[in-house]
Amino acid sequence: MRDVIVAANWKMHTTPADAGELARIMAARTREPGVTRVICPPFVCLTAVRDALAAADDPADIEGAGGIQPAAVGAQNVHHELAGAYTGEIAAPMLVGLATWVILGHSERRRDAGETDALIGRKLTRAIDAGLRPILCVGEQLDEREAGAAISVVDAQLRGCLAGHDPVTLVSAGMVIAYEPVWAIGTGRTATGADAATMADAIRRSLTELGWPDAGDGVPILYGGSVTSANIGEFLAEPSIDGALVGGASLKPDELAGIVARAGLTARARGLAS
Ligand code: PEP
């Protein structure tokens, strides 16, 4: 059974002074049995968010509360080397004790930092070696979708990022794939649930061809791109979609609470919670 996951990408928002309080509010308002919650703040806010979540979601308090898992902390990136002369960068081992998840290959980093599939593949190795659970982002541009190339673009991204990786190791590391059509990120425009499901099925076909166990059935696939509390239901109604990577709406407590509440219904419907 795959996890139902809501991951909040706070991008370049919040400060160490306000991130902890926002995380505390988010944790308190999103306790849904069977839903894995991940908050990914900027690097400098990781400590504040980790401490706030540890206080808000003390396992002793939520134990026995019907399958509520403590909210987890994620980073938004790691460097592809372990250490060295890379001014301003953060290596995966530096995150140990601060984060347990990491977003890799976000389209904003592909666009702004020139990240290639091969580089993202190297980051994947570093993340897994550091014990971080990766959320690998893939997705096509608008012109690629309009040209009917969405599936082949995403297939090529997967092959590029996953080349040389052992599928069994990635499955054991709990790797998640986020399908994020680039034209839907931060634009208010979304894919349809049916389109997202078609892409999730295509992703699992690619994984099958790459030799993944159980035809990629164990890999959670999230949709990302202008997800809100109003549209999350359309994506989670699709059995092949296991949750969402949420940007803008994840900074608004009412929105995130609504998204996670809907994910809770899915977790119950899928037998992950009673
Ligand atoms: C994202 O940051 O991955 C994202 C999908 O952003 P938004 O929800 O704002 O489109």
Side-chain angles (χ1 to χ4, degrees):
M1 190 62 71
R2 298 187 298 263
D3 298 340
V4 171
I5 300 166
V6 177
N9 177 13
W10 285 0
K11 309 197 188 199
M12 199 170 72
H13 297 287
T14 70
T15 68
D18 59 28
E21 177 58 8
L22 186 59
R24 187 193 64 74
I25 293 167
M26 297 304 202
R29 295 199 52 190
T30 58
R31 291 204 182 103
E32 280 293 334
V35 180
T36 299
R37 298 165 293 159
V38 189
I39 295 184
C40 306
F43 284 124
V44 294
C45 300
L46 286 170
T47 305
V49 170
R50 177 201 60 186
D51 293 348
L53 294 182
D57 272 351
D58 184 338
D61 292 342
I62 58 177
E63 199 178 311
I68 295 172
Q69 303 158 37
V73 186
Q76 297 175 15
N77 179 38
V78 285
H79 198 261
H80 59 279
E81 293 290 357
L82 279 178
Y86 301 102
T87 303
E89 296 288 349
I90 301 289
M94 297 172 183
L95 295 172
V96 173
L98 288 176
T100 50
W101 291 68
V102 64
I103 298 171
L104 294 179
H106 193 282
S107 63
E108 289 158 8
R109 291 204 56 82
R110 291 175 185 261
R111 178 195 69 199
D112 300 335
E115 290 191 3
T116 62
D117 295 326
L119 189 85
I120 295 161
R122 293 174 67 188
K123 290 172 183 247
L124 200 47
T125 303
R126 298 302 181 202
I128 287 165
D129 288 351
L132 299 167
R133 193 168 172 187
I135 301 175
L136 174 65
C137 301
V138 292
E140 80 287 353
Q141 305 279 345
L142 184 58
D143 58 341
E144 294 166 334
R145 170 154 289 268
E146 287 173 347
I151 288 177
S152 61
V153 165
V154 167
D155 177 69
Q157 289 174 337
L158 288 170
R159 285 171 197 275
C161 293
L162 301 178
H165 285 277
D166 170 28
V168 175
T169 304
L170 294 180
V171 170
S172 311
M175 190 183 83
V176 171
I177 294 177
Y179 166 61
E180 298 209 305
V182 179
W183 47 269
I185 297 178
T187 59
R189 188 172 168 191
T190 64
T192 64
D195 284 342
T198 299
M199 294 304 294
D201 292 344
I203 287 168
R204 292 206 171 89
R205 273 201 305 280
S206 297
L207 296 180
T208 306
E209 288 170 19
L210 289 167
W212 284 60
D214 303 325
D217 198 43
V219 179
I221 298 182
L222 313 184
Y223 168 77
S226 297
V227 168
T228 65
S229 59
N231 62 33
I232 181 67
E234 176 173 354
F235 300 104
L236 289 177
E238 301 290 343
S240 55
I241 302 288
D242 303 301
L245 178 55
V246 188
S250 76
L251 288 154
K252 300 174 189 155
D254 285 349
E255 276 297 307
L256 194 65
I259 290 166
V260 178
R262 179 60 185 77
L265 293 179
T266 298
R268 280 193 281 283
R270 295 184 188 177
L272 292 164
S274 47

